[in-house]
């Protein structure tokens, strides 16, 4: 296509947007509202997924060492745990460390258990390469010598992993459904703007204009509507997310949990919304004008 011809198409697209001012505003509004829902749900789902990963990664296997094991045997056990498949890190926690955690959690009355009166075990805290492998690693650890018990949360941890997987699957389905809804709404909105110009299209067709010569200004117009409609929700979501990030992050201070950082998340989300707006605006125009080209 010649540069001159493409320039003409862009000029016609801009003139059409201005000439059909209220219809253009309606189309942009439809895109903005739809992509605001899509973008908000993506931001929510991505952060839920991040928190879910933080929760999953916080699940570890606690291997309680037999009270009869001496220092050499404990060291040997730690080396054997490190050799297990799917084990990422092994951290030692003494009986005294365990008691201090209990005292910090449940109160000073546990100060009674000191020295030889401490009933707790020395513990190896085992982290796996993936959270789903904790169950298998716990079973392997229990079979090792000098292990009193290996605990990872059992059924509760398995239930957590299953729930998080369901959240991810359902979230993905909802996002796809919202995107399809966006195409439908935008296509119908653009169809209304094209319907008001059907006589113009018929005249152009009758004087010999090709389908793509007629189609290009509408495609460009739809793409511009999609882009403008994507900028609005991107700005709204960015402002809300920055404020929410500052507020919510204060509650996570001192924990392993965190939201997705503003940079680069908002830039990535903004890029996605702009691309989606451009694509569905163009597709909506192509689908909408097709029936009016049959003269």
């Amino acid at each position: 296509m010649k540069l001159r011809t493409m320039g003409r198409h862009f000029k016609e697209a801009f003139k059409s947007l201005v000439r059909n001012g209220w219809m253009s505003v309606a189309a942009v509004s439809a895109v903005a509202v739809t992509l605001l829902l899509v973008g908000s749900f993506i931001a929510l789902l991505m952060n839920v997924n991040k928190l879910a990963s933080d929760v999953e990664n916080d699940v570890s296997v606690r291997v309680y060492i037999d009270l009869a094991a001496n220092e050499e045997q404990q060291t040997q056990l730690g080396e054997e745990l490190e050799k297990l498949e799917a084990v990422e890190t092994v951290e030692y926690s003494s009986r005294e460390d365990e008691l201090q955690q209990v005292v910090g959690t449940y109160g000073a009355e546990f100060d009674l258990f000191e020295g030889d009166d401490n009933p707790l075990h020395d513990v190896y805290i085992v982290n796996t390469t993936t959270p789903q492998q904790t169950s298998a690693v716990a079973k392997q650890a229990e079979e090792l010598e000098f292990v009193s018990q290996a605990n990872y949360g059992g059924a509760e941890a398995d239930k957590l992993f299953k729930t998080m997987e369901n959240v991810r699957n359902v979230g993905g389905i909802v996002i796809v459904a919202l995107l399809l809804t966006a195409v439908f709404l935008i296509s119908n909105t653009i169809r209304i703007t094209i319907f008001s110009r059907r006589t113009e299209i018929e005249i152009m067709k009758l004087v010999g204009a090709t389908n793509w010569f007629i189609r290009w200004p509408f495609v460009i117009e739809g793409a511009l509507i999609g882009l403008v409609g994507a900028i609005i929700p991107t700005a709204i979501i960015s402002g809300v997310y920055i404020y929410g990030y500052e507020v919510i992050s204060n509650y996570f201070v001192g924990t392993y949990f965190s939201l997705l950082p503003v940079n680069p998340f908002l830039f990535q989300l903004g890029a996605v919304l702009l691309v989606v707006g451009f694509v569905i605006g163009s597709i909506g125009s192509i689908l909408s004008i097709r029936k009016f080209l049959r003269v």
Side-chain angles (χ1 to χ4, degrees):
M1 183 184 296
K2 294 182 179 179
L3 186 62
R4 183 177 178 181
T5 304
M6 182 57 72
R8 179 261 175 195
H9 292 328
F10 271 96
K11 183 178 179 180
E12 287 298 315
F14 280 109
K15 286 172 59 178
S16 176
L17 286 172
V18 175
R19 185 168 59 243
N20 300 278
W22 286 112
M23 296 302 297
S24 299
V25 171
V28 168
S29 299
V31 175
V33 171
T34 306
L35 291 186
L36 180 61
L37 292 174
V38 173
S40 298
F41 195 83
I42 290 176
L44 179 62
L45 179 64
M46 294 296 290
N47 278 282
V48 168
N49 185 64
K50 172 66 166 60
L51 293 174
S53 298
D54 290 342
V55 171
E56 289 176 339
N57 292 330
D58 196 41
V59 176
S60 57
V61 181
R62 295 180 63 84
V63 179
Y64 295 90
I65 306 171
D66 195 308
L67 293 174
N70 58 38
E71 186 175 342
E72 182 180 348
Q73 292 167 334
Q74 289 186 3
T75 302
Q76 180 182 345
L77 174 59
E79 293 173 352
E80 292 177 355
L81 288 171
E82 290 177 346
K83 293 177 182 178
L84 292 178
E85 188 176 356
V87 169
E88 186 172 25
T89 61
V90 176
E91 180 184 349
Y92 177 76
S93 178
S94 68
R95 298 166 61 195
E96 291 73 23
D97 293 334
E98 293 293 298
L99 180 59
Q100 289 303 314
Q101 291 184 24
V102 172
V103 171
T105 303
Y106 296 104
E109 60 269 19
F110 285 88
D111 283 336
L112 296 172
F113 300 106
E114 295 181 354
D116 295 334
D117 293 330
N118 185 348
L120 302 179
H121 292 252
D122 295 317
V123 176
Y124 277 116
I125 302 171
V126 181
N127 294 308
T128 57
T129 51
T130 63
Q132 290 74 18
Q133 294 170 314
T134 53
S135 176
V137 170
K139 291 178 181 178
Q140 294 175 28
E142 281 189 331
E143 297 175 358
L144 298 177
E145 193 176 3
F146 309 120
V147 173
S148 174
Q149 181 185 5
N151 181 23
Y152 71 102
E156 292 300 320
D158 293 335
K159 184 178 180 180
L160 170 66
F161 299 147
K162 184 65 177 177
T163 300
M164 296 308 177
E165 185 66 25
N166 290 337
V167 168
R168 294 187 180 100
N169 293 336
V170 172
I173 293 172
V174 172
I175 287 177
V176 171
L178 284 173
L179 290 175
L180 292 176
T181 302
V183 173
F184 175 76
L185 290 176
I186 294 166
S187 176
N188 282 343
T189 304
I190 295 175
R191 184 179 286 117
I192 295 173
T193 66
I194 295 175
F195 182 77
S196 65
R197 299 161 61 189
R198 63 191 183 281
T199 303
E200 175 187 343
I201 296 172
E202 291 174 0
I203 293 173
M204 293 177 66
K205 185 70 175 176
L206 289 173
V207 298
T210 64
N211 286 344
W212 271 107
F213 186 86
I214 299 172
R215 187 181 284 132
W216 267 115
F218 291 100
V219 173
I220 295 171
E221 183 179 346
L224 291 173
I225 288 173
L227 282 174
V228 175
I231 291 172
I232 296 171
T234 298
I236 294 174
I237 292 172
S238 296
V240 173
Y241 189 84
I242 291 172
Y243 174 77
Y245 181 85
E246 294 176 354
V247 173
I248 296 175
S249 293
N250 292 330
Y251 291 97
F252 291 149
V253 174
T255 71
Y256 292 103
F257 309 124
S258 64
L259 297 178
L260 290 168
V262 172
N263 181 20
F265 174 65
L266 287 182
F267 291 100
Q268 295 170 344
L269 179 60
V272 169
L273 291 180
L274 289 174
V275 170
V276 169
F278 177 86
V279 171
I280 62 180
S282 303
I283 293 175
S285 293
I286 292 173
L287 295 177
S288 300
I289 198 175
R290 188 169 50 185
K291 65 175 292 187
F292 297 105
L293 293 176
R294 303 191 189 101
V295 178

